[in-house]
Amino acid sequence: MDFLVLFSYYLALLLIGGVVLCICLQTRYLNGLARGGAQIFSFITPERLQRVVLRSLHYLFHTRNNAFLVLHVVLQGMVYTEYTWEILGYCQELDFSLCYLLLPHLLLAVNLVFFTLSCLTDPGTITKANEALLLQVYEFDEVMFPEKRWCSTCDLRKPARSKHCSVCNRCVHRFDHHCVWVNNCIGAWNARYFLLYLLTLTASAAAMAVVTTVFLVRLVVMSDLDLYVDDQDVDTIFLIQRLFLTFPRIVFLLGFVLVLSFLLGGFLCFALFLAATNQTTNEWCRGDGAWCRHCPPAAGARSAEPRAYRNIHSHGLWSNLREIFLPSTAHGDRKKK
């Protein structure tokens, strides 16, 4: 049973790390690397297995499904069950403050609210009814977002900063990315909820890691091991081995939440950077970075010379954050007449 619990932790951790890496670093280089890996994979695996794997990947990442959403809930439930069952009881015996111990649970409750809002809120679907209004919100830069561009699938004119999501089969206003963990696109109308969801998720993992670390340190201090430490007859590796043999599930839980905190913390920093500079993940992948000066000319552009992409939507930190947390078509007055 312990083996299955720990295996589930680290399998889910690998999935989380892979998805976060794909979102944060979805560049042309990595796309080419993925294609090269797929070619190598095709030489060493049977054709039938290839079809099964490709169909499974297509279902998981290119169709709307609840697989990762269910995995998210199950994983969170397992982690908090372990924390409550293993840590909470021991810490109460050691006279830890109850408010301190329940902080991860409070963050979990707040996180579930924003998780639900991220899943259920319309990200900003563009329709014939709101097309004309949304066309006035952002200025067309004529490089990444040319003015006269149509979505042939939705049969409507595409506003600046919008994108057609092939997974949801709709055009989304201020499209950021499609998140498999909430089974929804992240756009103008739910970006604030997703940012707060990511913030509280990172905080809950970090708080759980801190409480677990303090608990293990308290155990070392209260046990006979601290005498050996004072005499310098024992090193850190021996302490970890001793703790692992005594509390294997707690040590594995600590390792899991520590790595998860670093992964989520990196993704959170990236999301905060985008919010502070008024960029989306889609825009960052397509235009920002070393390759932005070599973007191909936009479809329909008269000039054959490639033009450098420049972020024209950033208007200062507070204005950028207000645009995230108070989305409104009132931003259309920024558009140059």
Side-chain angles (χ1 to χ4, degrees), residues 222-241:
M222 294 180 62
S223 67
D224 294 336
L225 290 176
D226 63 323
L227 300 176
Y228 295 102
V229 173
D230 293 337
D231 294 336
Q232 296 182 352
D233 289 331
V234 65
D235 57 10
T236 305
I237 297 178
F238 175 79
L239 284 175
I240 295 174
Q241 290 174 344

Side-chain angles (χ1 to χ4, degrees), residues 138-139 161 174 273-279 283 309-321 323 334:
Y138 293 112
E139 180 182 358
R161 312 189 76 183
R174 198 184 183 277
F273 163 74
L274 294 181
T277 56
N278 203 340
Q279 297 182 81
E283 292 166 358
Y309 168 72
R310 181 173 60 90
N311 181 13
I312 63 175
H313 304 294
S314 181
H315 301 276
L317 176 62
W318 297 115
S319 181
N320 294 340
L321 292 179
E323 188 172 313
R334 292 179 181 163

Side-chain angles (χ1 to χ4, degrees), residues 139-157:
E139 180 182 358
F140 292 94
D141 58 18
E142 299 301 336
V143 178
M144 187 179 295
F145 302 105
E147 186 169 0
K148 295 181 179 179
R149 177 173 287 185
W150 283 76
C151 176
S152 57
T153 305
C154 300
D155 191 26
L156 51 80
R157 191 174 159 197

Side-chain angles (χ1 to χ4, degrees), residues 278-298:
N278 203 340
Q279 297 182 81
T280 65
T281 304
N282 177 54
E283 292 166 358
W284 183 84
C285 290
R286 291 177 57 191
D288 205 2
W291 56 87
C292 66
R293 295 178 179 82
H294 307 286
C295 295

Side-chain angles (χ1 to χ4, degrees), residues 151-218:
C151 176
S152 57
T153 305
C154 300
D155 191 26
L156 51 80
R157 191 174 159 197
K158 298 180 68 171
R161 312 189 76 183
S162 66
K163 185 180 183 296
H164 182 87
C165 177
S166 58
V167 179
C168 298
N169 195 29
R170 60 184 172 184
C171 285
V172 177
H173 178 49
R174 198 184 183 277
F175 178 85
D176 191 274
H177 70 282
H178 181 88
C179 180
V180 295
W181 293 104
V182 299
N183 195 25
N184 198 6
C185 289
I186 306 303
W189 299 341
N190 67 347
R192 50 183 170 172
Y193 301 134
F194 181 77
L195 193 61
L196 291 171
Y197 152 74
L198 188 59
L199 177 64
T200 53
L201 185 62
T202 306
S204 64
M208 193 178 297
V210 169
V211 174
T212 307
T213 302
V214 172
F215 164 69
L216 291 176
V217 170
R218 180 76 66 87

Side-chain angles (χ1 to χ4, degrees), residues 37-328:
Q39 291 177 353
I40 296 175
F41 178 77
S42 65
F43 286 118
I44 61 177
T45 56
E47 185 177 352
R48 181 174 297 179
L49 179 60
Q50 292 179 38
R51 289 198 297 267
V52 172
V53 171
L54 290 176
R55 273 198 294 265
S56 301
L57 292 176
H58 177 79
Y59 173 76
L60 289 174
F61 295 101
H62 296 284
T63 61
R64 292 202 71 181
N65 62 83
N66 295 321
F68 282 96
L69 193 147
V70 172
L71 176 63
H72 179 288
V73 174
V74 170
L75 174 64
Q76 207 165 30
M78 290 173 58
V79 169
Y80 272 87
T81 299
E82 285 291 302
Y83 172 79
T84 305
W85 184 265
E86 296 286 339
I87 304 294
L88 214 57
Y90 286 124
C91 288
Q92 285 181 311
E93 294 177 4
L94 296 176
D95 296 327
F96 277 69
S97 170
L98 189 60
C99 296
Y100 176 68
L101 295 177
L102 293 180
L103 178 60
H105 293 85
L106 176 62
L107 291 169
L108 172 65
V110 178
N111 175 255
L112 290 177
V113 172
F114 291 118
F115 172 70
T116 304
L117 290 172
S118 299
C119 294
L120 301 180
T121 303
D122 182 358
T125 304
I126 304 171
T127 63
K128 288 292 184 180
N130 61 17
E131 173 190 1
L133 186 63
L134 295 180
L135 281 168
Q136 303 301 314
V137 175
Y138 293 112
E139 180 182 358
F140 292 94
D141 58 18
E142 299 301 336
V143 178
M144 187 179 295
F145 302 105
E147 186 169 0
K148 295 181 179 179
R149 177 173 287 185
W150 283 76
C151 176
S152 57
T153 305
C154 300
D155 191 26
L156 51 80
R157 191 174 159 197
K158 298 180 68 171
R161 312 189 76 183
S162 66
K163 185 180 183 296
H164 182 87
C165 177
S166 58
V167 179
C168 298
N169 195 29
R170 60 184 172 184
C171 285
V172 177
H173 178 49
R174 198 184 183 277
F175 178 85
D176 191 274
H177 70 282
H178 181 88
C179 180
V180 295
W181 293 104
V182 299
N183 195 25
N184 198 6
C185 289
I186 306 303
W189 299 341
N190 67 347
R192 50 183 170 172
Y193 301 134
F194 181 77
L195 193 61
L196 291 171
Y197 152 74
L198 188 59
L199 177 64
T200 53
L201 185 62
T202 306
S204 64
M208 193 178 297
V210 169
V211 174
T212 307
T213 302
V214 172
F215 164 69
L216 291 176
V217 170
R218 180 76 66 87
L219 283 181
V220 171
V221 172
M222 294 180 62
S223 67
D224 294 336
L225 290 176
D226 63 323
L227 300 176
Y228 295 102
V229 173
D230 293 337
D231 294 336
Q232 296 182 352
D233 289 331
V234 65
D235 57 10
T236 305
I237 297 178
F238 175 79
L239 284 175
I240 295 174
Q241 290 174 344
R242 181 70 176 270
L243 288 172
F244 176 75
L245 292 174
T246 310
F247 304 101
R249 295 173 67 161
I250 294 178
V251 174
F252 268 104
L253 176 64
L254 176 59
F256 178 78
V257 293
L258 277 175
V259 176
L260 187 62
S261 299
F262 280 110
L263 284 174
L264 292 173
F267 189 23
L268 175 63
C269 291
F270 175 71
L272 290 174
F273 163 74
L274 294 181
T277 56
N278 203 340
Q279 297 182 81
T280 65
T281 304
N282 177 54
E283 292 166 358
W284 183 84
C285 290
R286 291 177 57 191
D288 205 2
W291 56 87
C292 66
R293 295 178 179 82
H294 307 286
C295 295
R302 294 182 180 180
S303 174
E305 293 294 327
R307 298 167 57 187
Y309 168 72
R310 181 173 60 90
N311 181 13
I312 63 175
H313 304 294
S314 181
H315 301 276
L317 176 62
W318 297 115
S319 181
N320 294 340
L321 292 179
R322 185 173 66 248
E323 188 172 313
I324 296 289
F325 289 96
L326 298 173
S328 172

